[in-house]
Amino acid sequence: MVTQHEILRLGHQGDGVAAGPVYAPATLPGETVSGTLSGTQLTEVRIETPSADRVQPPCRHAKSCGGCQLQHASDAFVSAWKQEIVATALEAQGLAAPIRGIVTSPARTRRRAVVSARRTKKGAMAGFHARGSDVIIQIPDCQLVDPKLLTGLPVAEALAVVGASRKGELSVTLTVTENGLDVAATVGKPTDGPLEIALAQVAERFDLARLAWDGEVIAMRQPPVQRFGAANVEPPPGAFLQATPEGEAALLDSVQEIVGDAARIVDLFAGCGTFSLPLAASAEVLAVEGDAEMIKALDQGWRQAQGLKKITGAVRDLFRRPLVPDELRKFDAAVLDPPRAGAEAQVAALADSRLDLIAYVSCNPVTFARDARVLVSSGYHLAWVQVVDQFRWSSHIELVAAFSRNEA
Ligand SMILES: C[S@@+](CC[C@H](N)C(=O)[O-])C[C@H]1O[C@@H](n2cnc3c(N)ncnc32)[C@H](O)[C@@H]1O
């Protein structure tokens, strides 16, 4: 039976939400829509009264592909929606702060994506999953990712032909580097001699920088370099990387504004040195990270770079063993960029440390706001929040927040 609904708001996954709740994909607040209810999901959705914020999706794959959720919404709508989510998360913790205009990465700039690949009767196919389904949609004209990354689709298909099990699916992480594509595939067949030779041939045929198979490097043909400030870094296969160069630059600009001319900085959850290496142009840095391979990559990048101040790398689980106030007091500023869970234990220690300046980079407004409340309750001033949208057309949100002990 077809029913009609008023969309009241967007949910956190980007679906329109009507009273019930009823979830309707690719709809916007204020729209009247009709469709068939399946549980709480509206299917075969028809837009009866479109919103003024509705636009023609820029990508021809948008209707079938599940990679993007918000191509039907204007940039202005998405920006306002993301800023409002941050403001609401802060409000829920009794906090408020000036929220600066969002910085959105342009289309076709995503430098890292995970595609799926599967064998077919005729060979193989690679792409993103359809929304809420395990069907793979081919995306030759994807408007989200860097065109260089799209050259990885035939690579993923070739890898599936030689190394995917008959019914299984390969997950292939494609990363654009200074020297070509860095490819890391997981859940393939276990390697043996013939498979390793076949995989190395794929790396050769497509001129890949590096190919890793279930964490093991099969071919290293060119250094898979990322440039962080003055340093060239070779991250381990599949390691965390900011999603777009423009997003990374926006996050770094805000971090640099917050730490100012601090001479000693601690970079917590430092990864491969996205922030540590540029900051080392003018400050000594302690880079702390849980993954030993990432710290090794950061350290090698630092050793080969010219003109940087000292960076000391430390491998440490900051959830279980956060830096304690006595360790933190040696620094003028802290940069903090935890995973989605936030940094509850480390923030409690920062709150006690009374360290002057904190740049908190977050990919989850809810855990950020929870941690912000602890800092503010212990006397920190939350000066501003910069929202950064490097996951264009998705519901993801990134931000940088400026905390200081002195309100000046
Ligand atoms: C959002 S990433 C940020 C990395 C880096 N700041 C960057 O911009 O590239 C979060 C980092 O936290 C690290 N991490 C996750 N859990 C951790 C833990 N319990 N202790 C220390 N580091 C952790 C991850 O390995 C990852 O490098």
Side-chain angles (χ1 to χ4, degrees):
M1 189 181 69
V2 173
T3 50
Q4 194 154 308
H5 306 265
E6 274 301 310
I7 301 300
L8 304 172
R9 59 182 174 85
L10 286 195
H12 284 288
Q13 304 297 323
D15 278 358
V17 186
V22 168
Y23 298 94
T27 60
L28 293 172
E31 291 188 325
T32 306
V33 303
S34 59
T36 311
L37 259 183
S38 160
T40 58
Q41 285 290 326
L42 201 65
T43 61
E44 296 157 66
V45 177
R46 236 181 90 112
I47 311 296
E48 304 292 347
T49 323
S51 156
D53 291 309
R54 178 167 286 278
V55 297
Q56 186 67 27
C59 178
R60 75 175 173 94
H61 307 302
K63 230 181 156 132
S64 50
C65 174
C68 293
Q69 295 85 49
L70 289 168
Q71 289 223 354
H72 58 288
S74 68
D75 280 359
F77 173 86
V78 176
S79 299
W81 179 64
K82 292 194 174 186
Q83 285 170 287
E84 195 184 306
I85 288 177
V86 174
T88 307
L90 285 172
E91 226 175 271
Q93 297 289 345
L95 302 174
I99 295 183
R100 293 180 168 184
I102 195 165
V103 182
T104 303
S105 295
R108 294 155 68 93
T109 57
R110 185 82 73 80
R111 63 178 166 194
R112 147 78 54 89
V114 183
V115 298
S116 300
R118 163 175 305 155
R119 281 164 58 184
T120 61
K121 283 202 180 104
K122 288 190 187 148
M125 67 188 292
F128 291 136
H129 282 151
R131 160 181 281 267
S133 142
D134 60 0
V135 172
I136 294 174
I137 304 290
Q138 288 176 301
I139 46 158
D141 292 327
C142 174
Q143 295 299 302
L144 184 68
V145 303
D146 184 326
K148 291 191 216 98
L149 199 141
L150 288 178
T151 64
L153 292 170
V155 180
E157 289 175 352
L159 292 174
V161 168
V162 298
S165 57
R166 208 160 62 83
K167 291 204 171 141
E169 193 178 287
L170 273 189
S171 178
V172 184
T173 302
L174 303 169
T175 307
V176 176
T177 80
E178 301 276 325
N179 292 322
L181 276 187
D182 184 14
V183 178
T186 55
V187 269
K189 286 188 205 161
T191 45
D192 54 18
L195 178 56
E196 281 183 23
I197 291 169
L199 292 172
Q201 283 168 345
V202 173
E204 183 85 20
R205 172 149 56 103
F206 290 97
D207 198 17
L208 303 183
R210 175 171 64 183
L211 173 62
W213 190 258
D214 278 327
E216 184 194 343
V217 174
I218 299 289
M220 180 71 139
R221 303 183 60 258
Q222 291 287 333
V225 164
Q226 301 294 338
R227 184 102 185 140
F228 297 140
N232 285 332
V233 174
E234 292 176 35
F240 178 90
L241 191 64
Q242 298 294 346
T244 68
E246 291 79 1
E248 180 182 305
L251 297 173
L252 179 61
D253 277 354
S254 289
V255 166
Q256 281 175 322
E257 181 181 337
I258 296 163
V259 302
D261 55 8
R264 293 159 306 164
I265 299 174
V266 59
D267 182 9
L268 300 159
F269 305 93
C272 295
T274 306
F275 302 126
S276 295
L277 287 157
L279 291 173
S282 59
E284 281 195 13
V285 181
L286 171 64
V288 191
E289 158 64 43
D291 183 321
E293 291 300 310
M294 291 174 94
I295 284 291
K296 197 166 144 196
L298 188 166
D299 190 59
Q300 276 170 3
W302 172 69
R303 282 174 197 285
Q304 286 161 16
Q306 301 288 316
L308 294 183
K309 299 216 176 212
K310 187 167 169 50
I311 300 184
T312 308
V315 180
R316 186 148 156 180
D317 182 335
L318 293 170
F319 289 173
R320 288 157 180 260
R321 258 186 358 109
L323 265 69
V324 297
D326 269 353
E327 293 171 288
L328 292 166
R329 278 189 201 108
K330 297 176 194 142
F331 299 97
D332 307 309
V335 178
L336 181 69
D337 182 12
R340 287 188 65 74
E344 209 164 11
Q346 186 58 79
V347 161
L350 278 164
D352 288 344
S353 74
R354 310 177 76 80
L355 190 147
D356 273 350
L357 299 164
I358 299 174
Y360 191 141
V361 182
S362 166
C363 57
N364 182 345
V366 173
T367 56
F368 158 70
R370 176 202 67 197
D371 292 347
R373 188 174 55 79
V374 174
L375 292 174
V376 171
S377 305
S378 76
Y380 278 92
H381 169 61
L382 172 53
W384 49 263
V385 178
Q386 172 72 64
V387 184
V388 174
D389 189 4
Q390 54 177 343
F391 291 95
R392 197 188 171 84
W393 298 317
S394 86
S395 53
H396 286 284
I397 297 173
E398 312 256 329
L399 61 87
V400 186
F403 294 91
S404 61
R405 290 297 306 183
N406 312 313
E407 295 200 8

